[in-house]
Amino acid sequence: MKLLLVAPRARHLDFVLDAVEAWFDRTHAAGLWITAGIGGRVVRWFDAAFAEQPDLLIPAHPARGRIDRALGNLIGVGVAEAHELELRVEAAGGNAHASVAHLDRGS
């Protein structure tokens, strides 16, 4: 995780999602996600990846369901930053969808 935080890159998304999913399969303990700070680190990594590759926020993106589940799990264990990021993801996804709909209408 430390290596990924030094230089977060969207191209590592599948790896990060695999890790988060594996960790949640093992535990939902607040000690890992909140006390050890892993949840906050994951949120910061997502935030950096979204800044680098905004199309990750598009609802039709192939990884979007996994991203939403990861954020939902983080929120479920009490990672406050995850809720804030989820709201931004939803808003950005809605804006991206609206932009695409706007283009589809030919306006």
Side-chain angles (χ1 to χ4, degrees), residues 10 13 49-64 67 93 96:
L13 177 66
F50 298 155
E52 179 188 353
Q53 189 174 336
D55 69 322
L56 293 172
L57 299 171
I58 297 171
H61 190 281
R64 181 62 190 274
I67 292 167

Side-chain angles (χ1 to χ4, degrees), residues 7-97:
R9 298 288 182 258
R11 67 177 180 254
H12 298 131
L13 177 66
D14 284 331
F15 176 79
V16 171
L17 287 171
D18 286 345
V20 169
E21 290 164 354
W23 292 333
F24 269 113
D25 284 346
R26 303 252 356 205
T27 186
H28 285 241
L32 173 72
W33 297 105
I34 298 170
T35 307
I38 299 297
R41 290 179 182 145
V42 169
V43 169
R44 286 188 297 278
W45 188 93
F46 278 145
D47 198 30
F50 298 155
E52 179 188 353
Q53 189 174 336
D55 69 322
L56 293 172
L57 299 171
I58 297 171
H61 190 281
R64 181 62 190 274
R66 292 178 71 195
I67 292 167
D68 290 346
R69 279 189 299 280
L71 287 173
N73 281 330
L74 290 166
I75 291 166
V77 296
V79 178
E81 306 96 271
H83 179 66
E84 295 165 13
L85 183 59
E86 182 188 49
L87 294 175
R88 290 192 356 241
V89 167
E90 288 175 356
N95 290 341
H97 188 270

